[in-house]
Amino acid sequence: MINKHIEHPEDTILTGDLSVLNAFTADNHYSVKIDGSPAIVWGTHPENGRFFVGTKSVFNKRTPKVNYTVKDIENNHPDFELQSILIRCLHSLPHTDRVFQGDFIGFGGYRDYKPNAISYTLSEVQNTAVVVAPHTEYTGNSMRTLTASPLMDKLGSGFIQPNAWISEYKGNVMNIEMMIGFARQMATLVDFATPKEAELLKKDLNAYIRDGDEVVAEEFANYQLVRLWLLVENIKTEYMKLMRDDFNVECFLGNDYIDGEGYVMTGKHGVYKLVNRWVFSHYNFNIVRS
């Protein structure tokens, strides 16, 4: 139903699911991962045909917060800043017979935005009422049973939807294919974790990333599994070197210039986020949010 949390490729292998190794050599759809907030869901309600806006709370099981009017927004969302965002979205987002989700970047009229951790300087002033980066479409006949899928087409002006693709530099491709073959061999020697064990291991690995410490496999009880995790993380890093996009923007994390948050890779083998965790996740773990 609701757009689920997208995993890092290396985290998905902890329970023995090696689908991501197939994904790295398959045809995929790529999108630029944009660090906006809050998530905005909008479109035509499949059950009553009315246009609505909201956050991901439109999918709440007990009390879905679906907003058709300004009064609905005021009743459902006591936070004034969120009210302002949703009211502007209600009045400004083009009506559609579909249902979309995107990240709110900011109000129009500016080039510089900091919707979340990353600061963006766009190439042009955004002459729209709101700036939104759509990434997901929902289909179905009921809000409770909607199916999420990556948004493949462009919604037009006023939306941030850069193109992303993978280059075909043979040297990198051959290196990646060799590492994937090695990962498959290594996997035959690994004692994979149960789902509960994997969650605990991810917490331990995230602690290393948060503290900026090198992950040393031999410091873990299941060191063979962590060795495989490190290899898949390295495959991802090499893969990201092949990624290209036309997002004409300057990105800053704090005072540091960065290439961007990363990408989302979608195909028949799954959906994965390609992010440099040692930069972006480390910053996210340590940032003091108001």
Side-chain angles (χ1 to χ4, degrees):
M1 179 179 157
I2 191 171
N3 191 23
K4 294 181 179 179
H5 175 71
I6 304 173
E7 292 280 3
H8 299 281
E10 57 271 23
D11 286 353
T12 65
I13 60 90
L14 294 175
T15 57
D17 181 1
L18 302 181
S19 300
V20 70
L21 300 181
N22 294 322
F24 281 131
T25 57
D27 292 328
N28 297 290
H29 174 267
Y30 304 97
S31 59
V32 177
K33 198 171 189 303
I34 297 176
D35 185 41
S37 180
I40 303 295
V41 182
W42 79 97
T44 295
H45 198 293
E47 297 167 44
N48 59 32
R50 300 178 66 187
F51 181 77
F52 73 92
V53 299
T55 64
K56 286 187 285 189
S57 61
V58 301
F59 298 114
N60 287 355
K61 290 184 179 180
R62 293 187 178 180
T63 55
K65 297 181 179 180
V66 183
N67 307 295
Y68 306 105
T69 66
V70 171
K71 192 65 176 177
D72 291 335
I73 293 172
E74 292 173 344
N75 289 336
N76 288 328
H77 305 281
D79 181 79
F80 179 76
E81 183 178 2
L82 181 56
Q83 283 184 13
S84 301
I85 291 170
L86 291 176
I87 290 171
R88 183 74 71 90
C89 288
L90 179 67
H91 291 322
S92 306
L93 288 174
H95 285 216
T96 172
D97 59 359
R98 300 156 73 182
V99 177
F100 301 114
Q101 179 178 325
D103 291 319
F104 180 76
I105 305 302
F107 297 119
Y110 307 95
R111 290 179 59 215
D112 298 318
Y113 294 94
K114 190 178 186 300
N116 205 12
I118 295 180
S119 299
Y120 296 104
T121 298
L122 305 179
S123 59
E124 298 177 347
V125 172
Q126 300 303 293
N127 294 314
T128 57
V130 292
V131 184
V132 176
H135 53 71
T136 299
E137 179 173 7
Y138 294 95
T139 54
N141 298 319
S142 167
M143 289 293 285
R144 291 183 178 274
T145 59
L146 289 180
T147 300
S149 58
L151 179 60
M152 299 295 186
D153 54 332
K154 304 296 184 184
L155 299 187
S157 61
F159 294 104
I160 304 294
Q161 290 182 273
N163 296 302
W165 62 94
I166 189 165
S167 67
E168 297 182 354
Y169 179 63
K170 293 183 178 179
N172 286 77
V173 171
M174 291 178 62
N175 187 36
I176 290 170
E177 290 177 347
M178 289 177 60
M179 287 193 292
I180 289 173
F182 184 45
R184 293 190 188 282
Q185 292 179 355
M186 184 183 293
T188 63
L189 304 174
V190 169
D191 182 17
F192 288 102
T194 65
K196 185 176 182 179
E197 290 169 343
E199 289 303 314
L200 293 174
L201 182 53
K202 280 192 282 187
K203 288 182 179 180
D204 289 341
L205 291 164
N206 282 331
Y208 276 74
I209 294 168
R210 181 195 63 223
D211 296 339
D213 294 333
E214 179 186 1
V215 173
V216 179
E218 287 70 24
E219 295 179 359
F220 292 80
N222 193 344
Y223 66 90
Q224 291 280 30
L225 179 56
V226 177
R227 282 180 179 173
L228 180 60
W229 183 92
L230 286 167
L231 177 56
V232 175
E233 200 268 341
N234 194 23
I235 292 171
K236 178 195 70 176
T237 299
E238 291 300 309
Y239 194 86
M240 288 180 66
K241 293 178 182 178
L242 300 174
M243 294 302 305
R244 304 290 184 269
D245 64 69
D246 59 6
F247 193 20
N248 191 10
V249 63
E250 293 181 340
C251 305
F252 295 88
L253 195 60
N255 295 320
D256 298 326
Y257 180 83
I258 61 171
D259 290 334
E261 184 181 357
Y263 302 91
V264 175
M265 177 175 70
T266 305
K268 64 180 182 180
H269 299 293
V271 182
Y272 308 92
K273 56 185 174 184
L274 309 178
V275 173
N276 184 337
R277 300 172 76 170
W278 306 102
V279 174
F280 187 78
S281 298
H282 171 76
Y283 184 88
N284 256 350
F285 283 138
N286 290 282
I287 190 174
V288 177
R289 298 184 183 275
S290 59

